[in-house]
Every structure is written in C-alpha cells, then in structure tokens.
Amino acid sequence: MIDLNINGQSVAVNAPEDMPLLWALRDIVGLTGTKFGCGIAQCGACTVHLDGQPVRSCVLPVGSIGKKAITTIEAVSQTPAGKSIQKAWLDVDVVQCGYCQSGQIMSAAALIQRTPNPSDADIDLAMSGNVCRCCTYSRIRAAIKQAATGKAEVLQSVVAMPARSAS
Ligand code: FES
Ligand code: FES
C-alpha cells in the first residue's frame, strides 16, 4: 500500500511503486477528471498539481511522491486561483470537445498562483506543454487574463463568434 495525499485526504492506494500516478488516480481512486492523452509527458492532458506545481501524472511513479500534496481537477476550485480560472473558463466559453481542458485548467491555475498578473509571454511559456486539438488557444489565453485581472474587457480580444440560431 502507498499512502497518498490526494485533494486534502489521505488515501491508501494498492499499487506498485512504479505505477504512474495517472493510473492510480483514474483506475484505483476513481478520479477520472484527469485525462490520458499521450502517456509520454508531451500533451499535458494528465496535468495535476504536486505541492502546487503542475506535473505530468502519466510519467510520475506513485512511489516517488511521498507526502507531497496532490491536487486534481476535482479539487482545483478549493484555491482562489483555481476558482477564478474555472469561472473565467465558463465566462469565456473556452471548452470545445473538452478533452484537454482539465490539464489546461491545472496548468493555468498553477500559473496565476505563482504569477498573479502574467504577460502574454508568461502565458505562452506556462501553457506551451498543453496541447489542444480543438485549437482553443486564444480563448485559453483570454480566460487566463480575465482570471488574473478580473477585467471582462479582455474578452473583446477573443474572435467574435456568429450568434447561434435557436434551431
Ligand atoms: S498524457 Fe501525460 S502529458 Fe500526455
Ligand atoms: S478542447 Fe478539444 S482537445 Fe482541447
């Protein structure tokens, strides 16, 4: 058994030490908000926080974590940064298929936690390891800026979308 601190709770996980954290989270603990994408630390879909830092859970052995605090998408709203990011994601309507979005939100929350008012370059650097097949990058950047500044006018930089018909 390996004791992990997940979302503020101590959880005993029956897993070999070399099992990637992502497998333990999804298949053993049942926290399926964190997604599998590439499995080789290249896409960012599996991002969680370890002591507040974004890490790729698909390549992180559970035996290496020790007492560090794991935070997943299910609990990201428990911090002010995570809460403001989630709200901005909804306000800006970032999500398309949604598959990459939990990893995107975890990386974005970690960014504004450590850099409360990030520049475009800060955002591009912090989010460069999170890939989105739906190409929501401009909306992701706008949502991060809104979360950081609280200024809704940032949304004006988002590409205008045609009004949806009711049909
Ligand atoms: S699934 Fe972990 S980075 Fe792609
Ligand atoms: S929203 Fe579809 S992959 Fe990012």
Side-chain angles (χ1 to χ4, degrees):
M1 284 288 184
I2 298 173
D3 288 326
L4 297 176
N5 176 350
I6 304 173
N7 297 337
Q9 295 192 317
S10 181
V11 181
V13 175
N14 187 7
E17 297 231 331
D18 61 352
M19 176 183 279
L21 174 60
L22 178 60
W23 275 244
L25 289 173
R26 290 183 56 87
D27 296 344
I28 298 177
V29 185
L31 293 172
T32 55
T34 307
K35 304 303 183 193
F36 174 86
C38 63
I40 54 172
Q42 295 295 306
C43 75
C46 67
T47 304
V48 300
H49 293 176
L50 204 60
D51 280 350
Q53 299 301 313
V55 296
R56 305 303 191 231
S57 63
C58 68
V59 293
L60 183 68
V62 288
S64 71
I65 295 171
K67 297 190 181 310
K68 291 180 179 171
I70 300 160
T71 306
T72 70
I73 187 69
E74 286 85 355
V76 73
S77 65
Q78 292 176 7
T79 66
K83 192 170 187 175
S84 65
I85 282 287
Q86 283 196 316
K87 179 179 184 307
W89 241 247
L90 292 173
D91 289 347
V92 180
D93 201 11
V94 175
V95 179
Q96 290 192 37
C97 84
Y99 197 84
C100 74
Q101 296 291 322
S102 62
Q104 301 276 6
I105 286 174
M106 297 310 286
S107 290
L111 168 63
I112 66 167
Q113 184 74 40
R114 67 177 181 272
T115 307
N117 193 7
S119 65
D120 285 355
D122 293 331
I123 294 171
D124 289 346
L125 181 62
M127 304 302 293
S128 62
N130 286 82
V131 177
C132 178
R133 284 203 145 193
C134 303
C135 289
T136 59
Y137 301 112
S138 61
R139 285 177 178 240
I140 287 168
R141 181 190 281 184
I144 292 171
K145 287 193 160 190
Q146 176 171 319
T149 65
K151 293 179 182 172
E153 63 263 32
V154 171
L155 298 177
Q156 293 171 3
S157 66
V158 176
V159 175
M161 299 291 286
R164 293 177 184 150
S165 70
S167 60

PDB file of all heavy atoms in Angstrom, residues 50-81:
ATOM      1  N   LEU A  50       1.418  19.008  -7.810  1.00  0.00           N
ATOM      2  CA  LEU A  50       2.158  18.371  -6.715  1.00  0.00           C
ATOM      3  C   LEU A  50       2.746  19.514  -5.891  1.00  0.00           C
ATOM      4  O   LEU A  50       3.600  20.266  -6.374  1.00  0.00           O
ATOM      5  CB  LEU A  50       3.264  17.483  -7.296  1.00  0.00           C
ATOM      6  CG  LEU A  50       3.763  16.340  -6.417  1.00  0.00           C
ATOM      7  CD1 LEU A  50       2.639  15.379  -6.070  1.00  0.00           C
ATOM      8  CD2 LEU A  50       4.904  15.605  -7.123  1.00  0.00           C
ATOM      9  N   ASP A  51       2.237  19.669  -4.681  1.00  0.00           N
ATOM     10  CA  ASP A  51       2.592  20.837  -3.861  1.00  0.00           C
ATOM     11  C   ASP A  51       2.425  22.133  -4.657  1.00  0.00           C
ATOM     12  O   ASP A  51       3.265  23.048  -4.582  1.00  0.00           O
ATOM     13  CB  ASP A  51       4.026  20.714  -3.322  1.00  0.00           C
ATOM     14  CG  ASP A  51       4.099  19.808  -2.095  1.00  0.00           C
ATOM     15  OD1 ASP A  51       3.041  19.430  -1.547  1.00  0.00           O
ATOM     16  OD2 ASP A  51       5.226  19.494  -1.683  1.00  0.00           O
ATOM     17  N   GLY A  52       1.371  22.215  -5.449  1.00  0.00           N
ATOM     18  CA  GLY A  52       1.042  23.432  -6.178  1.00  0.00           C
ATOM     19  C   GLY A  52       1.705  23.582  -7.529  1.00  0.00           C
ATOM     20  O   GLY A  52       1.371  24.506  -8.284  1.00  0.00           O
ATOM     21  N   GLN A  53       2.627  22.696  -7.852  1.00  0.00           N
ATOM     22  CA  GLN A  53       3.319  22.787  -9.136  1.00  0.00           C
ATOM     23  C   GLN A  53       2.690  21.837 -10.150  1.00  0.00           C
ATOM     24  O   GLN A  53       2.366  20.689  -9.798  1.00  0.00           O
ATOM     25  CB  GLN A  53       4.811  22.443  -8.976  1.00  0.00           C
ATOM     26  CG  GLN A  53       5.560  23.371  -8.048  1.00  0.00           C
ATOM     27  CD  GLN A  53       5.513  24.815  -8.514  1.00  0.00           C
ATOM     28  OE1 GLN A  53       5.742  25.119  -9.688  1.00  0.00           O
ATOM     29  NE2 GLN A  53       5.163  25.713  -7.602  1.00  0.00           N
ATOM     30  N   PRO A  54       2.546  22.262 -11.403  1.00  0.00           N
ATOM     31  CA  PRO A  54       1.967  21.360 -12.399  1.00  0.00           C
ATOM     32  C   PRO A  54       2.936  20.240 -12.762  1.00  0.00           C
ATOM     33  O   PRO A  54       4.118  20.497 -13.022  1.00  0.00           O
ATOM     34  CB  PRO A  54       1.713  22.279 -13.604  1.00  0.00           C
ATOM     35  CG  PRO A  54       2.699  23.400 -13.448  1.00  0.00           C
ATOM     36  CD  PRO A  54       2.904  23.586 -11.968  1.00  0.00           C
ATOM     37  N   VAL A  55       2.442  19.017 -12.753  1.00  0.00           N
ATOM     38  CA  VAL A  55       3.261  17.856 -13.129  1.00  0.00           C
ATOM     39  C   VAL A  55       2.441  16.965 -14.055  1.00  0.00           C
ATOM     40  O   VAL A  55       1.213  17.006 -14.056  1.00  0.00           O
ATOM     41  CB  VAL A  55       3.716  17.044 -11.896  1.00  0.00           C
ATOM     42  CG1 VAL A  55       4.641  17.863 -11.002  1.00  0.00           C
ATOM     43  CG2 VAL A  55       2.520  16.519 -11.103  1.00  0.00           C
ATOM     44  N   ARG A  56       3.174  16.155 -14.834  1.00  0.00           N
ATOM     45  CA  ARG A  56       2.523  15.228 -15.766  1.00  0.00           C
ATOM     46  C   ARG A  56       2.344  13.879 -15.062  1.00  0.00           C
ATOM     47  O   ARG A  56       3.299  13.136 -14.864  1.00  0.00           O
ATOM     48  CB  ARG A  56       3.369  15.049 -17.026  1.00  0.00           C
ATOM     49  CG  ARG A  56       3.721  16.348 -17.746  1.00  0.00           C
ATOM     50  CD  ARG A  56       2.501  17.136 -18.138  1.00  0.00           C
ATOM     51  NE  ARG A  56       2.848  18.235 -19.045  1.00  0.00           N
ATOM     52  CZ  ARG A  56       2.473  19.487 -18.862  1.00  0.00           C
ATOM     53  NH1 ARG A  56       1.722  19.807 -17.815  1.00  0.00           N
ATOM     54  NH2 ARG A  56       2.798  20.419 -19.731  1.00  0.00           N
ATOM     55  N   SER A  57       1.111  13.596 -14.700  1.00  0.00           N
ATOM     56  CA  SER A  57       0.865  12.398 -13.893  1.00  0.00           C
ATOM     57  C   SER A  57       1.081  11.108 -14.672  1.00  0.00           C
ATOM     58  O   SER A  57       1.196  10.039 -14.062  1.00  0.00           O
ATOM     59  CB  SER A  57      -0.546  12.437 -13.309  1.00  0.00           C
ATOM     60  OG  SER A  57      -1.527  12.417 -14.329  1.00  0.00           O
ATOM     61  N   CYS A  58       1.155  11.164 -15.993  1.00  0.00           N
ATOM     62  CA  CYS A  58       1.351   9.935 -16.784  1.00  0.00           C
ATOM     63  C   CYS A  58       2.759   9.381 -16.676  1.00  0.00           C
ATOM     64  O   CYS A  58       2.991   8.242 -17.062  1.00  0.00           O
ATOM     65  CB  CYS A  58       0.995  10.177 -18.250  1.00  0.00           C
ATOM     66  SG  CYS A  58       2.126  11.287 -19.128  1.00  0.00           S
ATOM     67  N   VAL A  59       3.697  10.190 -16.174  1.00  0.00           N
ATOM     68  CA  VAL A  59       5.081   9.715 -16.069  1.00  0.00           C
ATOM     69  C   VAL A  59       5.608   9.843 -14.643  1.00  0.00           C
ATOM     70  O   VAL A  59       6.811   9.748 -14.423  1.00  0.00           O
ATOM     71  CB  VAL A  59       6.014  10.476 -17.045  1.00  0.00           C
ATOM     72  CG1 VAL A  59       5.669  10.142 -18.488  1.00  0.00           C
ATOM     73  CG2 VAL A  59       5.970  11.976 -16.806  1.00  0.00           C
ATOM     74  N   LEU A  60       4.711  10.073 -13.682  1.00  0.00           N
ATOM     75  CA  LEU A  60       5.141  10.269 -12.294  1.00  0.00           C
ATOM     76  C   LEU A  60       4.840   9.002 -11.481  1.00  0.00           C
ATOM     77  O   LEU A  60       3.675   8.718 -11.189  1.00  0.00           O
ATOM     78  CB  LEU A  60       4.407  11.468 -11.695  1.00  0.00           C
ATOM     79  CG  LEU A  60       4.796  11.846 -10.271  1.00  0.00           C
ATOM     80  CD1 LEU A  60       6.223  12.391 -10.229  1.00  0.00           C
ATOM     81  CD2 LEU A  60       3.829  12.894  -9.721  1.00  0.00           C
ATOM     82  N   PRO A  61       5.866   8.222 -11.102  1.00  0.00           N
ATOM     83  CA  PRO A  61       5.598   6.997 -10.332  1.00  0.00           C
ATOM     84  C   PRO A  61       5.000   7.323  -8.966  1.00  0.00           C
ATOM     85  O   PRO A  61       5.487   8.240  -8.282  1.00  0.00           O
ATOM     86  CB  PRO A  61       6.989   6.370 -10.180  1.00  0.00           C
ATOM     87  CG  PRO A  61       7.848   7.031 -11.216  1.00  0.00           C
ATOM     88  CD  PRO A  61       7.293   8.414 -11.388  1.00  0.00           C
ATOM     89  N   VAL A  62       4.002   6.588  -8.570  1.00  0.00           N
ATOM     90  CA  VAL A  62       3.374   6.864  -7.279  1.00  0.00           C
ATOM     91  C   VAL A  62       4.351   6.683  -6.119  1.00  0.00           C
ATOM     92  O   VAL A  62       4.240   7.338  -5.090  1.00  0.00           O
ATOM     93  CB  VAL A  62       2.112   6.000  -7.035  1.00  0.00           C
ATOM     94  CG1 VAL A  62       0.966   6.444  -7.886  1.00  0.00           C
ATOM     95  CG2 VAL A  62       2.414   4.530  -7.225  1.00  0.00           C
ATOM     96  N   GLY A  63       5.345   5.811  -6.317  1.00  0.00           N
ATOM     97  CA  GLY A  63       6.313   5.573  -5.256  1.00  0.00           C
ATOM     98  C   GLY A  63       7.264   6.727  -5.022  1.00  0.00           C
ATOM     99  O   GLY A  63       7.988   6.752  -4.019  1.00  0.00           O
ATOM    100  N   SER A  64       7.277   7.715  -5.911  1.00  0.00           N
ATOM    101  CA  SER A  64       8.198   8.853  -5.786  1.00  0.00           C
ATOM    102  C   SER A  64       7.552  10.066  -5.128  1.00  0.00           C
ATOM    103  O   SER A  64       8.221  11.075  -4.900  1.00  0.00           O
ATOM    104  CB  SER A  64       8.711   9.260  -7.173  1.00  0.00           C
ATOM    105  OG  SER A  64       7.663   9.880  -7.922  1.00  0.00           O
ATOM    106  N   ILE A  65       6.268   9.980  -4.808  1.00  0.00           N
ATOM    107  CA  ILE A  65       5.532  11.180  -4.394  1.00  0.00           C
ATOM    108  C   ILE A  65       5.671  11.494  -2.909  1.00  0.00           C
ATOM    109  O   ILE A  65       5.753  12.661  -2.508  1.00  0.00           O
ATOM    110  CB  ILE A  65       4.039  11.036  -4.781  1.00  0.00           C
ATOM    111  CG1 ILE A  65       3.935  10.990  -6.309  1.00  0.00           C
ATOM    112  CG2 ILE A  65       3.199  12.182  -4.208  1.00  0.00           C
ATOM    113  CD1 ILE A  65       2.554  10.637  -6.819  1.00  0.00           C
ATOM    114  N   GLY A  66       5.727  10.465  -2.095  1.00  0.00           N
ATOM    115  CA  GLY A  66       5.868  10.675  -0.655  1.00  0.00           C
ATOM    116  C   GLY A  66       4.678  11.424  -0.080  1.00  0.00           C
ATOM    117  O   GLY A  66       3.525  11.139  -0.394  1.00  0.00           O
ATOM    118  N   LYS A  67       4.977  12.443   0.740  1.00  0.00           N
ATOM    119  CA  LYS A  67       3.909  13.173   1.418  1.00  0.00           C
ATOM    120  C   LYS A  67       3.462  14.418   0.661  1.00  0.00           C
ATOM    121  O   LYS A  67       2.648  15.209   1.168  1.00  0.00           O
ATOM    122  CB  LYS A  67       4.359  13.562   2.833  1.00  0.00           C
ATOM    123  CG  LYS A  67       4.648  12.364   3.738  1.00  0.00           C
ATOM    124  CD  LYS A  67       4.853  12.771   5.161  1.00  0.00           C
ATOM    125  CE  LYS A  67       5.157  11.582   6.064  1.00  0.00           C
ATOM    126  NZ  LYS A  67       4.207  10.464   5.920  1.00  0.00           N
ATOM    127  N   LYS A  68       3.964  14.630  -0.530  1.00  0.00           N
ATOM    128  CA  LYS A  68       3.584  15.828  -1.281  1.00  0.00           C
ATOM    129  C   LYS A  68       2.082  15.820  -1.589  1.00  0.00           C
ATOM    130  O   LYS A  68       1.498  14.769  -1.839  1.00  0.00           O
ATOM    131  CB  LYS A  68       4.391  15.925  -2.574  1.00  0.00           C
ATOM    132  CG  LYS A  68       5.865  16.224  -2.319  1.00  0.00           C
ATOM    133  CD  LYS A  68       6.643  16.318  -3.605  1.00  0.00           C
ATOM    134  CE  LYS A  68       8.108  16.641  -3.299  1.00  0.00           C
ATOM    135  NZ  LYS A  68       8.952  16.539  -4.504  1.00  0.00           N
ATOM    136  N   ALA A  69       1.523  17.002  -1.578  1.00  0.00           N
ATOM    137  CA  ALA A  69       0.080  17.134  -1.781  1.00  0.00           C
ATOM    138  C   ALA A  69      -0.269  17.080  -3.266  1.00  0.00           C
ATOM    139  O   ALA A  69       0.240  17.882  -4.060  1.00  0.00           O
ATOM    140  CB  ALA A  69      -0.401  18.457  -1.181  1.00  0.00           C
ATOM    141  N   ILE A  70      -1.119  16.133  -3.609  1.00  0.00           N
ATOM    142  CA  ILE A  70      -1.616  16.001  -4.981  1.00  0.00           C
ATOM    143  C   ILE A  70      -2.961  16.730  -5.064  1.00  0.00           C
ATOM    144  O   ILE A  70      -3.840  16.518  -4.229  1.00  0.00           O
ATOM    145  CB  ILE A  70      -1.829  14.514  -5.334  1.00  0.00           C
ATOM    146  CG1 ILE A  70      -0.519  13.740  -5.209  1.00  0.00           C
ATOM    147  CG2 ILE A  70      -2.437  14.363  -6.726  1.00  0.00           C
ATOM    148  CD1 ILE A  70      -0.728  12.234  -5.053  1.00  0.00           C
ATOM    149  N   THR A  71      -3.097  17.578  -6.055  1.00  0.00           N
ATOM    150  CA  THR A  71      -4.400  18.213  -6.309  1.00  0.00           C
ATOM    151  C   THR A  71      -4.811  17.885  -7.734  1.00  0.00           C
ATOM    152  O   THR A  71      -4.019  18.057  -8.671  1.00  0.00           O
ATOM    153  CB  THR A  71      -4.330  19.747  -6.139  1.00  0.00           C
ATOM    154  OG1 THR A  71      -3.804  20.059  -4.853  1.00  0.00           O
ATOM    155  CG2 THR A  71      -5.722  20.365  -6.277  1.00  0.00           C
ATOM    156  N   THR A  72      -6.043  17.424  -7.891  1.00  0.00           N
ATOM    157  CA  THR A  72      -6.560  17.110  -9.216  1.00  0.00           C
ATOM    158  C   THR A  72      -7.639  18.126  -9.596  1.00  0.00           C
ATOM    159  O   THR A  72      -8.057  18.958  -8.780  1.00  0.00           O
ATOM    160  CB  THR A  72      -7.167  15.689  -9.254  1.00  0.00           C
ATOM    161  OG1 THR A  72      -8.378  15.690  -8.477  1.00  0.00           O
ATOM    162  CG2 THR A  72      -6.195  14.662  -8.700  1.00  0.00           C
ATOM    163  N   ILE A  73      -8.117  17.999 -10.820  1.00  0.00           N
ATOM    164  CA  ILE A  73      -9.145  18.919 -11.310  1.00  0.00           C
ATOM    165  C   ILE A  73     -10.383  18.911 -10.408  1.00  0.00           C
ATOM    166  O   ILE A  73     -11.081  19.925 -10.278  1.00  0.00           O
ATOM    167  CB  ILE A  73      -9.526  18.567 -12.768  1.00  0.00           C
ATOM    168  CG1 ILE A  73     -10.460  19.604 -13.371  1.00  0.00           C
ATOM    169  CG2 ILE A  73     -10.134  17.165 -12.852  1.00  0.00           C
ATOM    170  CD1 ILE A  73      -9.825  20.950 -13.628  1.00  0.00           C
ATOM    171  N   GLU A  74     -10.622  17.783  -9.748  1.00  0.00           N
ATOM    172  CA  GLU A  74     -11.815  17.692  -8.901  1.00  0.00           C
ATOM    173  C   GLU A  74     -11.756  18.660  -7.724  1.00  0.00           C
ATOM    174  O   GLU A  74     -12.799  18.984  -7.143  1.00  0.00           O
ATOM    175  CB  GLU A  74     -11.993  16.256  -8.385  1.00  0.00           C
ATOM    176  CG  GLU A  74     -12.494  15.257  -9.429  1.00  0.00           C
ATOM    177  CD  GLU A  74     -11.407  14.646 -10.282  1.00  0.00           C
ATOM    178  OE1 GLU A  74     -10.219  15.056 -10.136  1.00  0.00           O
ATOM    179  OE2 GLU A  74     -11.727  13.761 -11.096  1.00  0.00           O
ATOM    180  N   ALA A  75     -10.540  19.117  -7.351  1.00  0.00           N
ATOM    181  CA  ALA A  75     -10.408  19.981  -6.178  1.00  0.00           C
ATOM    182  C   ALA A  75      -9.740  21.316  -6.507  1.00  0.00           C
ATOM    183  O   ALA A  75      -9.444  22.083  -5.590  1.00  0.00           O
ATOM    184  CB  ALA A  75      -9.608  19.270  -5.085  1.00  0.00           C
ATOM    185  N   VAL A  76      -9.540  21.608  -7.779  1.00  0.00           N
ATOM    186  CA  VAL A  76      -8.803  22.838  -8.103  1.00  0.00           C
ATOM    187  C   VAL A  76      -9.551  24.088  -7.643  1.00  0.00           C
ATOM    188  O   VAL A  76      -8.953  25.122  -7.347  1.00  0.00           O
ATOM    189  CB  VAL A  76      -8.484  22.906  -9.620  1.00  0.00           C
ATOM    190  CG1 VAL A  76      -9.736  23.214 -10.439  1.00  0.00           C
ATOM    191  CG2 VAL A  76      -7.378  23.911  -9.886  1.00  0.00           C
ATOM    192  N   SER A  77     -10.863  23.993  -7.517  1.00  0.00           N
ATOM    193  CA  SER A  77     -11.651  25.167  -7.114  1.00  0.00           C
ATOM    194  C   SER A  77     -11.461  25.511  -5.639  1.00  0.00           C
ATOM    195  O   SER A  77     -11.980  26.528  -5.172  1.00  0.00           O
ATOM    196  CB  SER A  77     -13.130  24.940  -7.394  1.00  0.00           C
ATOM    197  OG  SER A  77     -13.621  23.885  -6.586  1.00  0.00           O
ATOM    198  N   GLN A  78     -10.729  24.698  -4.905  1.00  0.00           N
ATOM    199  CA  GLN A  78     -10.520  24.972  -3.475  1.00  0.00           C
ATOM    200  C   GLN A  78      -9.485  26.059  -3.230  1.00  0.00           C
ATOM    201  O   GLN A  78      -9.292  26.478  -2.090  1.00  0.00           O
ATOM    202  CB  GLN A  78     -10.141  23.681  -2.745  1.00  0.00           C
ATOM    203  CG  GLN A  78     -11.299  22.685  -2.687  1.00  0.00           C
ATOM    204  CD  GLN A  78     -10.926  21.366  -2.053  1.00  0.00           C
ATOM    205  OE1 GLN A  78      -9.832  21.187  -1.527  1.00  0.00           O
ATOM    206  NE2 GLN A  78     -11.841  20.405  -2.112  1.00  0.00           N
ATOM    207  N   THR A  79      -8.785  26.502  -4.278  1.00  0.00           N
ATOM    208  CA  THR A  79      -7.872  27.638  -4.132  1.00  0.00           C
ATOM    209  C   THR A  79      -8.462  28.829  -4.885  1.00  0.00           C
ATOM    210  O   THR A  79      -9.186  28.644  -5.883  1.00  0.00           O
ATOM    211  CB  THR A  79      -6.486  27.331  -4.713  1.00  0.00           C
ATOM    212  OG1 THR A  79      -6.609  27.161  -6.138  1.00  0.00           O
ATOM    213  CG2 THR A  79      -5.888  26.078  -4.089  1.00  0.00           C
ATOM    214  N   PRO A  80      -8.150  30.068  -4.427  1.00  0.00           N
ATOM    215  CA  PRO A  80      -8.655  31.243  -5.152  1.00  0.00           C
ATOM    216  C   PRO A  80      -8.235  31.247  -6.619  1.00  0.00           C
ATOM    217  O   PRO A  80      -9.033  31.594  -7.505  1.00  0.00           O
ATOM    218  CB  PRO A  80      -8.035  32.412  -4.380  1.00  0.00           C
ATOM    219  CG  PRO A  80      -7.798  31.875  -2.999  1.00  0.00           C
ATOM    220  CD  PRO A  80      -7.434  30.431  -3.181  1.00  0.00           C
ATOM    221  N   ALA A  81      -7.004  30.847  -6.891  1.00  0.00           N
ATOM    222  CA  ALA A  81      -6.527  30.833  -8.287  1.00  0.00           C
ATOM    223  C   ALA A  81      -7.342  29.837  -9.111  1.00  0.00           C
ATOM    224  O   ALA A  81      -7.791  30.149 -10.215  1.00  0.00           O
ATOM    225  CB  ALA A  81      -5.039  30.478  -8.331  1.00  0.00           C
TER     226      ALA A  81
END
